[in-house]
Amino acid sequence: MGLTSQSSGLSLLKEKFNLTKKAEEQIIIALAGNPNTGKSTLFNYLTGLNQHTGNWPGKTVSNAQGSFKYKDKEYLLVDLPGTYSILANSQEEEVARDFICFGNPKITIVIADATCLERNLNLTLQIMELADNVILCLNLIDEAARKGIKIDISKLEEELKIPVIPMVARDGTGVDMLKETIDEMIEEKLQPKPLKIIYNDKIESLVSEIIENLPEFVRENYNARWIALRLIDGDNSILESIQEFLMKDVHMEAEV
């Protein structure tokens, strides 16, 4: 039996990420960000009491998920561990990386501290390399203004090629704009094409060669370019994740 994107995604969500959607139509969104950027504040504001916590399967890392509704759509929001990177140097980074890569969230929201934007953009750029539907929320925009920090939102959107939303998560400023942006992405009225880093000819040639040799279902269902780049990095943990998430799923399908 062949592997379909639907069967692959659903089984992974249940078996490997311990996520259960209330309904088939519920749309999964990932929430990422550095520690202490207001990520949990935004999570609580969006989901209210409709949330529960546990651990990621096989990890000691906390897993929080909650639901919210906007217009006629139901969303499942997954609060990823706070990390400075998704290059898998810790359990938290590995969880965040694997969920964005293999969990196939429809949208990834990155929340950044507007008072120290440069440090926060590192994670944003890494996630933009992995996913297209990315929204950047600049939390604490009021504190940034009080410190005399001026951020040209339009210019930042133009450079990154993703929506950028100024926000004060503690009082909900910017949350309505975030919900509307999410809706526009789901309706495909807004289709970001994030800035992608183009490497030198040698690396790009290697990327193409690796992609050609990846299994067809990987190329069809996951970000093959990003996986190829991690393989070039010599990231052994991505090999382990491919084995854990993808090959197991193939075996599951083959047994059906």
Side-chain angles (χ1 to χ4, degrees):
M1 175 176 288
L3 181 68
T4 67
S5 59
Q6 185 180 35
S7 62
S8 173
L10 291 176
S11 59
L12 282 174
L13 289 175
K14 180 66 178 176
E15 298 291 331
K16 305 306 300 179
F17 298 117
N18 197 26
L19 298 183
T20 302
K21 297 201 291 185
K22 288 181 179 177
E24 184 66 28
E25 299 75 24
Q26 200 170 29
I27 299 163
I28 295 177
I29 296 178
L31 177 60
N34 291 177
N36 304 315
T37 54
K39 189 166 61 64
S40 295
T41 304
L42 177 60
F43 178 79
N44 291 333
Y45 197 95
L46 282 168
T47 62
L49 298 176
N50 301 312
Q51 57 178 264
H52 67 271
T53 59
N55 278 356
W56 293 89
K59 309 285 185 184
T60 57
V61 180
S62 176
N63 171 349
Q65 51 187 286
S67 60
F68 69 95
K69 185 175 182 178
Y70 183 66
K71 295 186 175 176
D72 59 342
K73 301 179 185 66
E74 293 276 356
Y75 295 94
L76 177 61
L77 184 63
V78 181
D79 187 13
L80 300 176
T83 62
Y84 295 102
S85 163
I86 53 169
L87 296 183
N89 295 311
S90 67
Q91 276 198 342
E92 289 79 3
E93 292 177 1
E94 188 175 326
V95 164
R97 178 200 68 184
D98 286 347
F99 187 75
I100 297 172
C101 183
F102 302 112
N104 280 337
K106 196 71 175 178
I107 294 171
T108 300
I109 300 169
V110 183
I111 186 163
D113 184 341
T115 66
C116 50
L117 184 56
E118 184 175 352
R119 185 183 67 184
N120 285 237
L121 283 179
N122 180 49
L123 177 67
T124 308
L125 290 169
Q126 289 181 10
I127 292 176
M128 287 164 51
E129 197 163 46
L130 177 53
D132 284 341
N133 278 351
V134 178
I135 301 171
L136 175 61
C137 295
L138 299 184
N139 192 31
L140 303 174
I141 197 71
D142 55 341
E143 289 190 24
R146 279 196 289 273
K147 292 181 177 181
I149 300 171
K150 297 180 180 178
I151 300 175
D152 187 333
I153 302 295
S154 297
K155 184 65 175 176
L156 192 56
E157 282 187 324
E158 181 183 331
E159 293 291 334
L160 298 179
K161 305 184 191 307
I162 61 172
V164 177
I165 298 173
M167 177 171 288
V168 183
R170 66 176 178 277
D171 66 10
T173 300
V175 173
D176 287 345
M177 185 185 299
L178 171 62
K179 290 179 178 177
E180 186 60 28
T181 303
I182 291 171
D183 186 67
E184 289 181 3
M185 277 191 180
I186 298 303
E187 293 291 332
E188 298 185 346
K189 297 175 183 175
L190 183 60
Q191 297 177 296
K193 297 187 183 303
L195 172 71
K196 303 290 185 186
I197 297 172
I198 304 300
Y199 299 92
N200 64 42
D201 291 346
K202 183 178 180 181
I203 293 176
E204 291 296 334
S205 177
L206 274 173
V207 167
S208 299
E209 185 177 342
I210 292 172
I211 290 174
E212 287 177 5
N213 285 282
L214 288 173
E216 184 178 352
F217 69 87
V218 174
R219 296 198 302 269
E220 289 180 351
N221 296 301
Y222 301 97
N223 188 327
R225 175 180 170 82
W226 185 85
I227 291 173
L229 285 168
R230 298 289 72 78
L231 292 174
I232 292 172
D233 279 345
D235 181 355
N236 290 330
S237 68
I238 192 65
L239 289 173
E240 294 169 3
S241 291
I242 289 173
Q243 181 71 26
E244 179 181 8
F245 289 95
L246 304 185
M247 299 311 175
K248 180 173 181 177
D249 213 40
V250 170
H251 295 157
M252 290 170 62
E253 289 299 312
E255 291 170 358
V256 174

